[in-house]
Amino acid sequence: MTQLTQILLAGLNPSDPNDWRLRSYEQREGYAALRKILNEKIPPDTIIGEVKKSALRGRGGAGFPTGLKWSFMPKQYEGDKYLVCNSDEGEPGTFKDRDIMHHNPHSLIEGMAIGAYAMGIRTGYNYIHGEIWDTYERMEEAIDEARSAGLLGDNILGSGFSFQLYNHHGYGAYICGEETALLESLEGKKGQPRFKPPFPASFGLYGKPTTINNTETFASVPWIIRNGGEKFLQIGKPNNGGTKIFSVSGHVNKPGNYEVPMGTPFAKLLEMAGGMRGGRKLKACIPGGSSMPVLPGDIMMRTDMDYDSIAKAGSFLGSGAVIIMDDTTCMVKALERLSYFYYEESCGQCTPCREGTGWLYRVVHRIETGKGRIEDLDLLNNVADNIQGRTICALGDAAAMPVRAMIQHFRDEFIYHIEHKKCMV
Amino acid sequence: MLSAESLKKIDHEVTKYPADQKQSAVMSALAIAQDEKGWLANETMDFVAHYLGMPAIAVYEVATFYNMYNLQPVGRYKFTVCTNLPCALSGGNDAAAHLKQKLGIGFNQTTTDGKFTLKEGECMGACGDAPVLLVNNKRMCSFMSCEKIDQLLEELSK
């Protein structure tokens, strides 16, 4: 077994059912960072500076620098400000936040408390994907534990700093992973994204300044404060600090979450996931969740797993969901299923997405069922062009990008399907 | 209209939000109401609207937007099977086909004895455990081979 470099899942003992509890977390240096900040009254700007130094980037999909986002919050604001955690993990292929909350919930709570302190926020919400109910219940219990120990609530550890944290669950809407849709949902409405600007830092939850980060992002913060931003950065590579949890699914022997330093070669990650199932050949991989462009296997095998390397290869790191497909996979069928998903989950607010996702699905469906025409390939690209960049939120882009990449890299397979009315594989 | 126990749970949810933002509790209130009633009839949604001081239409909007709410009666056990791509690569469609065959129903149908309803679901965020299915929204079952599905059906048929 190779030496693992872990931050988020470090020291966890999966065979101990109580390992997630406060006591175990404290044995793993848990809440040491928060205690240090409160005892030494470390200035908020120093904390934000440390997070900036770490090159921690948003782990939810967009990869925006976390420290920079935190510095957007108005400092001299009279009134309520909010901190929100986006745990609405519904991007097909992604299942890392569930493991963090299930096995290490206090790392998220501590990370949020530190963020709240740094931005002068007194109230936070953790929005949890509705389908993972046992994880929601675990987070409820973990917050109760932290509150009882004086680590959340009024006057934390006698410091004068107060932070209230609550869990909120979704109930089956992919779009609520989009941050402004999530805010609408938290306000008790349909999850339809808001036009930006104004950005949440000026007009967020209940119209108040709000910062929203992903679960994995918050959970990385305590380690950064304990060990320094510089050290976190060094674990990864420049502009891509730290470790990342990759959720590996599909045709591998050991699907699961693997935390590795940023910049780890894809080939290494595939090996950690037990290699290809049945020793088959890697055909394609979607490296960052279903919304990101697919890449052929040979390109992936030459790529490292970090934001910049994957972007250079022609896709995005996204949420770190690595979907592996072997040579038995029909790419037309794969795209048909993904297109159906975006059609089903479009919130219906913007016409190009509401109508366009239906077009994409129906055209791919007719190719898959042997009724396709050769012009359909241009038609699909045309519909994708008319969605991408023309909607309020990124769901439209997420529906368009996989279509374009699938046709680009596997054009022969689509043509074969149209001409022979059957699969190539 | 709802039991004292359900109301107590809703009251707890309401405490999470600012006093003038009770509407934020509507998603959990509807989930709690559904757990008690099995599905959300109009009068149930009207009650929730009244309880939270919201217009009824605002509650209907929420209930119809999020797909884990049952807007029609369902069987005693609702199975939602994920067939999205990562699950499909690891047997999600086989799990769905096996359930259809065992129960003798298709998606969005309920067995004649009113016991089981079958739904096709979207990503549940558990792709590493594929195939996955949910029982009544809250119990997630992982690695659902045909054998494990048979065991589950036997357990729930008792």
Side-chain angles (χ1 to χ4, degrees):
Chain A
M1 191 78 186
T2 45
Q3 187 64 38
L4 289 179
T5 307
Q6 292 191 323
I7 289 175
L8 297 145
L9 306 174
L12 294 176
N13 175 12
S15 59
D16 175 1
N18 287 313
D19 201 38
W20 63 272
R21 289 193 175 277
L22 177 60
R23 205 195 325 177
S24 296
Y25 181 65
E26 288 187 313
Q27 283 164 4
R28 301 189 298 268
E29 297 183 84
Y31 290 106
L34 182 65
R35 285 176 192 277
K36 182 179 154 83
I37 287 169
L38 297 179
N39 285 338
E40 298 176 13
K41 302 196 181 335
I42 296 177
D45 281 346
T46 308
I47 295 165
I48 294 178
E50 212 56 51
V51 176
K52 279 185 178 166
K53 224 186 286 171
S54 74
L56 172 64
R57 293 169 63 174
R59 302 298 198 228
F64 193 82
T66 305
L68 187 60
K69 189 186 255 189
W70 286 13
S71 67
F72 291 157
M73 281 292 269
K75 288 193 185 72
Q76 308 301 334
Y77 182 85
E78 300 287 326
D80 296 327
K81 294 189 268 188
Y82 292 99
L83 189 64
V84 174
C85 179
N86 185 345
S87 299
D88 192 29
E89 185 177 48
E91 172 80 1
T94 316
F95 46 91
K96 63 188 176 67
D97 299 336
R98 174 179 178 234
D99 264 11
I100 293 172
M101 290 188 286
H102 206 75
H103 299 295
N104 210 6
H106 286 283
S107 66
L108 170 60
I109 296 172
E110 187 184 5
M112 288 190 77
I114 293 169
Y117 174 89
M119 289 177 274
I121 295 170
R122 297 169 57 98
T123 310
Y125 292 98
N126 179 28
Y127 189 109
I128 301 173
H129 199 218
E131 284 85 344
I132 48 172
W133 192 259
D134 57 341
T135 305
Y136 173 79
E137 289 184 326
R138 165 132 327 159
M139 278 307 309
E140 285 282 272
E141 235 183 301
I143 284 181
D144 282 347
E145 271 191 335
R147 202 179 283 133
S148 304
L151 296 159
L152 278 179
D154 290 329
N155 192 20
I156 294 174
L157 302 171
S159 65
F161 166 63
S162 300
F163 179 56
Q164 314 292 339
L165 179 60
Y166 306 99
N167 295 302
H168 178 108
H169 67 76
Y171 229 51
Y174 168 69
I175 189 62
C176 291
E178 198 280 341
E179 61 179 14
T180 60
L182 184 150
L183 294 178
E184 288 287 300
S185 184
L186 252 176
E187 291 180 4
K189 302 174 194 158
K190 291 187 285 184
Q192 291 191 318
R194 298 174 183 172
F195 195 82
K196 291 189 278 193
F199 290 93
S202 51
F203 188 93
L205 182 64
Y206 309 128
K208 308 289 185 186
T210 301
T211 291
I212 306 158
N213 288 121
N214 168 259
T215 320
E216 187 181 355
T217 311
F218 280 125
S220 302
V221 169
W223 194 97
I224 291 171
I225 301 302
R226 282 202 310 273
N227 299 280
E230 191 61 37
K231 202 163 171 199
F232 187 83
L233 172 61
Q234 281 163 8
I235 287 177
K237 47 196 271 194
N239 198 34
N240 297 266
T243 60
K244 172 85 189 83
I245 302 178
F246 290 100
S247 304
V248 185
S249 66
H251 294 144
V252 289
N253 282 312
K254 292 192 292 178
N257 285 315
Y258 297 91
E259 182 181 0
V260 294
M262 284 286 190
T264 299
F266 168 77
K268 172 91 194 152
L269 181 66
L270 183 58
E271 187 193 316
M272 289 171 81
M276 297 299 295
R277 203 190 295 160
R280 299 204 69 97
K281 187 171 176 288
L282 173 69
K283 178 176 185 176
C285 169
I286 307 178
S290 69
S291 306
M292 301 303 163
V294 66
L295 289 174
D298 56 336
I299 294 181
M300 277 313 294
M301 290 304 278
R302 298 194 298 268
T303 301
D304 294 338
M305 300 304 286
D306 61 82
Y307 294 98
D308 298 336
S309 302
I310 296 177
K312 210 171 135 203
S315 187
F316 298 99
L317 180 136
S319 58
V322 179
I323 306 171
I324 303 284
M325 291 172 269
D326 70 18
D327 54 359
T328 64
T329 314
C330 170
M331 300 315 273
V332 180
K333 198 166 181 59
L335 180 61
E336 182 200 25
R337 186 60 185 84
L338 289 181
S339 294
Y340 179 77
F341 170 67
Y342 293 105
Y343 165 55
E344 171 74 23
E345 296 294 335
S346 171
C347 82
Q349 186 173 210
C350 309
T351 310
C353 174
R354 181 185 65 239
E355 302 301 322
T357 51
W359 273 82
L360 292 176
Y361 168 64
R362 286 189 299 272
V363 175
V364 180
H365 178 70
R366 81 180 176 212
I367 297 175
E368 166 62 17
T369 50
K371 295 181 196 114
R373 310 159 199 159
I374 202 74
E375 316 83 87
D376 282 349
L377 298 182
D378 288 340
L379 177 62
L380 283 172
N381 278 323
N382 182 267
V383 174
D385 286 344
N386 280 300
I387 300 174
Q388 201 166 342
R390 294 165 197 266
T391 54
I392 288 176
C393 86
L395 191 141
D397 302 353
M401 282 196 293
V403 170
R404 236 195 280 277
M406 281 280 193
I407 295 175
Q408 181 195 338
H409 294 297
F410 300 97
R411 194 175 182 91
D412 291 352
E413 208 171 317
F414 281 80
I415 292 175
Y416 186 93
H417 235 285
I418 292 166
E419 288 177 346
H420 297 80
K421 304 188 189 311
K422 61 174 186 178
C423 284
M424 201 177 197
V425 293
Chain B
M1 190 60 208
L2 286 175
S3 68
E5 198 193 337
S6 292
L7 293 180
K8 202 175 145 203
K9 286 184 191 165
I10 294 173
D11 291 344
H12 170 70
E13 294 300 320
V14 168
T15 63
K16 294 179 174 179
Y17 310 98
D20 57 346
Q21 301 289 349
K22 273 168 89 173
Q23 177 168 345
S24 283
V26 67
M27 290 182 67
S28 43
L30 286 173
I32 291 162
Q34 179 166 293
D35 282 349
E36 183 185 322
K37 303 278 182 189
W39 69 291
L40 297 174
N42 277 1
E43 52 267 34
T44 308
M45 291 190 274
D46 292 346
F47 177 83
V48 168
H50 180 73
Y51 197 76
L52 295 177
M54 293 169 65
I57 182 71
V59 175
Y60 303 160
E61 279 189 356
V62 168
T64 53
F65 188 84
Y66 299 90
N67 62 27
M68 288 164 74
Y69 295 116
N70 304 327
L71 301 174
Q72 262 147 30
V74 292
R76 192 162 150 218
Y77 299 107
K78 179 178 79 166
F79 294 138
T80 314
V81 189
C82 178
T83 59
N84 205 308
L85 181 61
C87 270
L89 295 172
S90 292
N93 290 318
D94 300 334
H98 188 69
L99 273 167
K100 284 179 186 170
Q101 187 244 324
K102 283 292 231 183
L103 300 174
I105 54 174
F107 285 134
N108 300 316
Q109 291 179 344
T110 300
T111 52
T112 45
D113 61 1
K115 201 139 191 203
F116 299 105
T117 297
L118 190 57
K119 292 263 176 193
E120 184 172 32
E122 291 299 347
C123 188
M124 296 163 186
C127 324
D129 300 352
V132 288
L133 64 85
L134 286 180
V135 181
N136 290 344
N137 291 343
K138 293 196 170 166
R139 174 178 169 193
M140 186 178 282
C141 303
S142 303
F143 305 107
M144 295 309 282
S145 59
C146 293
E147 198 179 34
K148 283 189 75 177
I149 288 172
D150 292 345
Q151 283 168 11
L152 177 68
L153 288 175
E154 199 181 328
E155 176 204 319
L156 299 179
S157 296
K158 274 175 197 159

